[in-house]
Amino acid sequence: MITIQVNGTSRQIDIEPDTPLLWVLRDVIGLTGTKFGCGIAQCGACTVHINGAAMRSCSVPIGALDGAKIVTIEGLSPDNSHPVQRAWIEESVPQCGYCQSGQIMAVAAFLKTFAKPTDADIDANVTNICRCGTYPALRRAIHRAANAVKA
Amino acid sequence: MRATRVAPDLSRRQVIFTAGSAAGGLLIGIGMAAAPGGARAATVSNKPWDDKDSAPHELDAWIAIDPDDSVLIRYQRAEMGQGSMTALPMLITEELQCDWSKVRIEYASATRNARENRVYGNMYSHGSMSVRESQKMVQQVGASARERLIAAAAARWKVPASDCMAAQSVVTHRPSGRTLRYGELAAAAAKIKLAKEPTIKTPAQFSFLPRRMPRVDVAHKTDGAAKFGIDAQVPGMVFAAIAACPVPGGKLKAVDESVLSGAPGIVAIVKLDHAVAVVATDSFWRAKRALSRLQPQWDVGAAGLVNSAQLSKDFRAALGAKMVVARNDGDVAKAMSRGARTFEAIYETPYLSHSPMEPMNATVNLQADRLDVWVGSQDAEGALHAAATASGLEPEQVHVHNAFLGGGFGRRDGNDEIVQAIAIAKVVKRPVKLIWTREEDMRHDRFRPHAVVAFKAATGSDGLPTAWSMRIVTSSIFQSVGIPFPPDKAEPPAVDGLVSNGYAVPNQRIELLLKNTHLPVWFYRAPGANQHVFAIEGFLDEIAAANRLDPYRLRRKLLAGKPDWIKVLDIAAQKGDWGKPLPRGSGRGIAICNFTDSLCAQVAEVTVKPSGEVKVDRVTVVLDTRNMVNPQTIVEQAESSVIFGLTAALYGKITIKDGAAVQGNFDTYRMVRLAEAPKIDVHLAPSGGEVWGGAGEPAVPPVIAAVANAIFAATGKRIRTLPIVDNDLRSA
């Protein structure tokens, strides 16, 4: 039995320890905002926060997470009001939207380290794939969110 | 604010909207009001489908108006990020004269379409058709509802309808100033049948459109609430993973099931003709892990000997064969023999995988007299009929709950995942969610075809081409899809981008040979054009370079008499700084195409490092969709198309080895990421008129050509084979 805290709620998970966190979130707990894209930590659609750090949950086994605090897109804010979410809406970033939970979680963690990122910081650290190519809007939204946090 | 410039000499219909890379804001142009704020936007549920396919207070199958004036508008196509779920209801709103902030949108039901004589018409989203194919139809829907509401008010007041007008969900009797809200009129209007259908507005008569409007689905896509097909949750559901024969078309010969005996949580091993699936109780992971322990034996036949190098040889060898004529202007043979110079080149483009971010999946609940399907489909109607056939039920017994699509690009209308899920459900007799792994999705795609084009051209003493011929060898998408087409004619997707060239070359002969393999091929964002525009625009550049002509000016001369093409090309050259100096190692390329009745010209700026690494620095896009509903989504689609095209240009290739696709995930099938995304400037230049052009695809083909041409300008090396990464661009 593994105990994890997901979006503030404690959960007892009884499953094989090699099961990736992604599938615990989606199939066991029923939080479907975190998406499956590649299964090999390439695309980042499954990004969540584990103890505050952005991680690709498809490649993190649940057995390594006993006692961990996990935040998913559903727990980032109660009402879509996190500065990154607001910036995403204001810049109309999502198209198909499938990768955006992961993008938002990656950027929310990134901005904790890079409060006022340069474009080079963004290039080096925001590496999730978006097949719709929302990158221009995404870059604008990162700067917008950084400015909102700063203000 | 997003930079906005309006050319002062242009009329309302020729307004140029410019989306810069500065912080976003309103795009404001002549005749186009600013968008209202978010609070006034129309809405859609995070579950866009309706579990019931009728609503109280319906005027018809499309529109319901509640007593509180809220308006339900049904959207009959698919939403995969292209924004048509916002655009088509905006067109209805234009005619209905309702208050956009009171509009609620949901998917129209494919079951109701089957039951009610196809009241929604075609439901697919492909070919950039969502708006342009149904614009007249939905305008008529809105206009008809408006006139019925006016007629209901006129009857209540006992006044002539011609004295009444409708605006913002209110009917006003002009002489007296009396008003009635739509919510007060809907019940009476629902019973009214008009003696004559009203005439729809021309774009020049629009008052609401074009208008930059936030997409209705955006907020659901920032908090994890938006439901995609893969998110379906059905009580009692089990999870399935599947492995189809690695060689498409191959059959399952045997599988040793004993390796899974006693494995916990395994419901079934399901053997299908071409695949094997494992079904697990509690998670997809359990099914997937168990499936990986099976070692199925396949019967692949001769297809197991096919590889890419041989395919390429075979396609090239077929260039000399007898072909079907797609276009024949003048006398190419005669003109060739009289040319001052002649040119020849062969261009080749590989198989590609669509690779939408959401891998293929379907969830089904098959009962004796009812089948429910949760899926993201580009064609809910096609999905319904495929599901009916696979299940043996009548179409009216099938309910397709179409979700938001995690990307489509042409892939999400094959229905193969739905048919598989139904086959599994028949065995396990429980609701089943089937998910393909990324590897399954990529290797069992229906690919963008491989194509080879052999060009010949003759130029006159002025350097302009007097004749050119193009001989194409590629595979038939129509045969793969099952679309009947006469064998003595050239199927359009195999020749698009070549036959549709706008150049005044007096002698042109374009021919096609379809050479099919065991690999299924399919429509892929901008079919045909996504490979052939690269080829023809590259070949034209070769002619320009050899004859010392400027590539922009050569195109301009060859487009004489086509002011719409020239306008788009000129703006691209101007905004893209054509002719201005660049540092050593950098270059600009230009390209233009006509696709889905839209014109698109682009200028790309690239830098090639001595190591051969290519960096695309900047892309200028000029797009003429003729008319526009929501410039916001058109700009988004242009940006999206550039990135999508860049992935294909720089990296995209599916290699075939022993009959199977080699690349299986994003580590080997590389995608453009944020760091590689160029600065993209989009200029919308709608030229107006009767025709409505598409927005989702026409900016894909030119970027591939413009980048390849820019590489030539930077290095002197001509790209004739994609992807670019396979070309040696190192400096000597």
Side-chain angles (χ1 to χ4, degrees), chain B residues 347 533-543 555 705 709 718:
Chain B
Y347 281 69
V533 169
F534 151 72
I536 190 171
E537 291 290 275
F539 183 62
L540 184 58
D541 246 47
E542 294 194 37
I543 293 171
R555 283 175 174 78
N709 290 343
R718 179 61 61 188

Side-chain angles (χ1 to χ4, degrees), chain A residues 22-135:
Chain A
L22 170 65
W23 299 107
V24 173
L25 292 171
R26 289 185 57 84
D27 291 348
V28 179
I29 300 176
L31 290 171
T32 56
T34 305
K35 300 301 192 227
F36 166 54
C38 68
I40 59 167
Q42 273 284 319
C43 75
C46 63
T47 304
V48 299
H49 296 174
I50 301 177
N51 297 327
M55 304 280 281
R56 294 179 173 175
S57 65
C58 73
S59 301
V60 181
I62 189 73
L65 293 175
D66 200 25
K69 288 184 179 171
I70 290 143
V71 177
T72 71
I73 185 71
E74 291 92 344
L76 186 63
S77 73
D79 53 0
N80 223 347
S81 64
H82 187 281
V84 175
Q85 290 171 315
R86 294 179 67 96
W88 248 240
I89 293 168
E90 282 155 9
E91 293 291 348
S92 188
V93 176
Q95 289 187 19
C96 92
Y98 191 80
C99 75
Q100 298 296 345
S101 295
Q103 302 278 5
I104 289 167
M105 296 308 284
V107 169
F110 164 70
L111 289 176
K112 283 191 264 180
T113 313
F114 295 86
K116 196 173 185 310
T118 63
D119 280 334
D121 295 332
I122 294 170
D123 287 347
N125 292 283
V126 181
T127 58
N128 290 14
I129 294 172
C130 173
R131 186 67 165 134
C132 298
T134 63
Y135 302 127

Side-chain angles (χ1 to χ4, degrees), chain B residues 375-669:
Chain B
V375 70
S377 172
Q378 284 180 242
D379 181 6
E381 185 182 35
L384 181 138
H385 289 288
T389 303
S391 64
L393 296 177
E394 294 301 316
E396 294 81 0
Q397 296 174 303
V398 180
H399 300 264
V400 173
H401 310 283
N402 207 11
F404 292 113
L405 282 65
F409 317 117
R411 178 63 181 94
R412 284 204 139 80
D413 58 7
N415 305 316
D416 32 353
E417 76 284 26
I418 298 172
V419 171
Q420 285 178 347
I422 291 168
I424 296 166
K426 282 181 180 173
V427 174
V428 300
K429 303 194 186 317
R430 292 165 73 173
V432 177
K433 180 191 283 192
L434 169 68
I435 302 174
W436 290 14
T437 60
R438 173 57 59 193
E439 290 78 9
E440 192 71 10
D441 182 278
M442 199 172 279
R443 294 188 175 129
H444 293 283
D445 198 356
R446 298 164 174 211
F447 304 103
R448 193 280 299 269
H450 184 111
V452 177
V453 186
F455 292 91
K456 285 186 186 175
T459 55
S461 54
D462 56 1
L464 299 182
T466 52
W468 58 14
S469 71
M470 305 163 206
R471 292 173 65 79
I472 309 155
V473 177
T474 188
S475 303
S476 170
I477 293 174
F478 278 7
Q479 285 182 40
S480 204
V481 177
I483 299 170
F485 199 79
D488 59 338
K489 298 254 182 343
E491 66 173 58
V495 296
D496 214 337
L498 298 176
V499 166
S500 55
N501 83 76
Y503 298 120
V505 177
N507 305 285
Q508 305 199 24
R509 189 172 172 90
I510 304 173
E511 294 166 283
L512 170 70
L513 176 75
L514 291 172
K515 199 169 166 55
N516 296 326
T517 73
H518 70 291
L519 298 159
V521 292
W522 210 252
F523 298 106
Y524 191 96
R525 199 174 191 178
N530 65 40
Q531 49 204 145
H532 293 330
V533 169
F534 151 72
I536 190 171
E537 291 290 275
F539 183 62
L540 184 58
D541 246 47
E542 294 194 37
I543 293 171
N547 287 341
R548 299 185 182 284
L549 298 168
D550 176 89
Y552 158 55
R553 300 206 174 280
L554 170 61
R555 283 175 174 78
R556 213 177 181 285
K557 278 186 186 158
L558 292 174
L559 293 171
K562 294 190 167 162
D564 50 348
W565 288 69
I566 287 178
K567 188 185 86 178
V568 167
L569 188 73
D570 282 352
I571 299 171
Q574 184 206 338
K575 301 289 182 186
D577 293 328
W578 187 260
K580 291 194 183 159
L582 280 173
R584 195 179 154 79
S586 296
R588 282 192 197 91
I590 193 166
I592 189 167
C593 80
N594 169 29
F595 192 74
T596 62
D597 290 329
S598 290
L599 295 170
C600 187
Q602 298 185 28
V603 171
E605 236 174 74
V606 309
T607 301
V608 182
K609 293 181 184 163
S611 64
E613 189 191 331
V614 175
K615 173 89 173 76
V616 181
D617 301 309
R618 179 184 167 205
V619 177
T620 302
V621 180
V622 182
L623 179 58
D624 174 4
T625 57
R626 314 293 179 175
N627 291 291
M628 304 195 297
V629 176
N630 186 357
Q632 167 75 32
T633 50
I634 299 175
V635 169
E636 287 177 7
Q637 282 306 295
E639 291 178 344
S640 169
S641 297
V642 166
I643 301 293
F644 193 89
L646 278 182
T647 289
L650 294 169
Y651 311 124
K653 180 163 93 170
I654 292 290
T655 311
I656 305 302
K657 184 168 180 288
D658 300 334
V662 173
Q663 293 80 4
N665 210 317
F666 298 126
D667 53 347
T668 50
Y669 191 71

Side-chain angles (χ1 to χ4, degrees), chain A residues 35 95-99 132, chain B residues 48-49 75 77-82 85 107 123-126 215 217 221 226-230 356-361 375-380 401-413 417:
Chain A
K35 300 301 192 227
Q95 289 187 19
C96 92
Y98 191 80
C99 75
C132 298
Chain B
W49 62 87
Y75 166 64
R77 305 273 176 164
E79 179 56 55
M80 50 186 164
Q82 87 279 31
M85 175 179 268
Y107 274 132
M123 300 187 75
Y124 52 73
S125 280
H126 54 225
R215 292 212 331 267
D217 48 332
K221 294 175 174 178
K227 295 299 179 196
F228 297 83
I230 202 170
M357 290 310 295
E358 180 189 10
M360 303 302 285
N361 65 84
V375 70
S377 172
Q378 284 180 242
D379 181 6
H401 310 283
N402 207 11
F404 292 113
L405 282 65
F409 317 117
R411 178 63 181 94
R412 284 204 139 80
D413 58 7
E417 76 284 26

